[in-house]
């Protein structure tokens, strides 16, 4: 392919690459927000909310990976300008921040799981455990006669 034609194609691809990078940056920010909210849910001990954020993260990550498949070939074909390089650096920074936050959340979850295991072991020896619903002996009536 002639050099002039390659330059024209590169300049046509540059706005597309920039737009895709902006979209990726927005999705990475959304992913990071979900990680922050998940960290807060873990800290409050709200397992259901933490699990909801996992589902959001999975959906967002799938869209990020799909976008990445489109960006990678463009990045190699386009001699990028300063603005695009700056945006690429921001995207790389967000990716690093996501990895760091994700590791931190995993550590928090592991710590919380350990705390729960200790609490369960402490409860297992008590009379409360023996009478608990978990063990089947709730101590409350299961049948009420309402006949007159």
């Amino acid at each position: 392919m002639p050099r002039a034609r390659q330059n024209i194609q590169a300049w046509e691809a540059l706005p597309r690459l920039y737009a895709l990078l902006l979209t990726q940056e927005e999705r990475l920010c959304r992913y990071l927000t979900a990680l922050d909210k998940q960290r807060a849910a873990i800290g409050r001990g709200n397992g259901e909310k933490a699990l909801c954020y996992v589902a959001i993260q999975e959906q967002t990550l799938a869209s990020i990976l799909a976008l990445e498949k489109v960006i990678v070939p463009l990045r190699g074909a386009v001699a990028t300008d300063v603005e695009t390089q700056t945006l690429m650096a921001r995207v790389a920074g967000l990716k690093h921040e996501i990895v760091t936050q994700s590791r931190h959340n995993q550590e928090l979850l592991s710590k919380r799981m350990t705390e729960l295991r200790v609490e369960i072991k402490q409860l297992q020896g008590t009379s409360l455990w023996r009478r608990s619903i978990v063990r089947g002996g709730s101590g409350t009536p299961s049948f009420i006669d309402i006949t007159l």
Side-chain angles (χ1 to χ4, degrees):
M1 184 180 296
R3 181 89 172 145
R5 185 173 170 105
Q6 285 178 338
N7 287 341
I8 290 171
Q9 286 178 341
W11 281 108
E12 290 172 352
L14 187 61
R16 173 109 171 104
L17 174 63
Y18 192 79
L20 289 169
L21 286 170
L22 282 174
T23 303
Q24 187 178 34
E25 181 183 38
E26 179 258 320
R27 290 179 184 171
L28 288 169
C29 286
R30 189 181 324 150
Y31 189 86
L32 195 56
T33 300
L35 283 171
D36 286 338
K37 290 181 179 182
Q38 182 186 41
R39 179 179 38 102
I42 293 167
R44 288 189 308 269
N46 191 338
E48 285 183 31
K49 276 212 176 205
L51 192 57
C52 287
Y53 290 118
V54 169
I56 292 169
Q57 291 166 15
E58 287 174 352
Q59 292 169 353
T60 307
L61 185 59
S63 68
I64 289 169
L65 293 176
L67 195 57
E68 188 74 22
K69 288 180 183 178
V70 177
I71 290 173
V72 169
L74 282 177
R75 193 180 305 158
V78 176
T80 57
D81 63 346
V82 175
E83 248 182 89
T84 306
Q85 288 178 350
T86 303
L87 183 56
M88 287 169 52
R90 286 196 321 246
V91 166
L94 283 170
K95 287 179 181 179
H96 177 71
E97 196 174 339
I98 284 171
V99 168
T100 303
Q101 184 65 40
S102 183
R103 283 187 187 135
H104 181 69
N105 285 5
Q106 288 173 349
E107 291 169 4
L108 283 174
L109 279 171
S110 294
K111 181 181 173 187
R112 183 68 181 138
M113 292 296 292
T114 302
E115 290 170 357
L116 289 173
R117 284 186 193 106
V118 168
E119 287 179 30
I120 289 171
K121 284 186 181 196
Q122 289 173 346
L123 285 174
Q124 283 178 337
T126 65
S127 61
L128 178 64
W129 176 265
R130 286 188 287 273
R131 288 183 287 137
S132 72
I133 295 173
V134 175
R135 303 285 289 167
S138 67
T140 58
S142 59
F143 180 74
I144 300 174
D145 185 10
I146 56 168
T147 60
L148 294 175

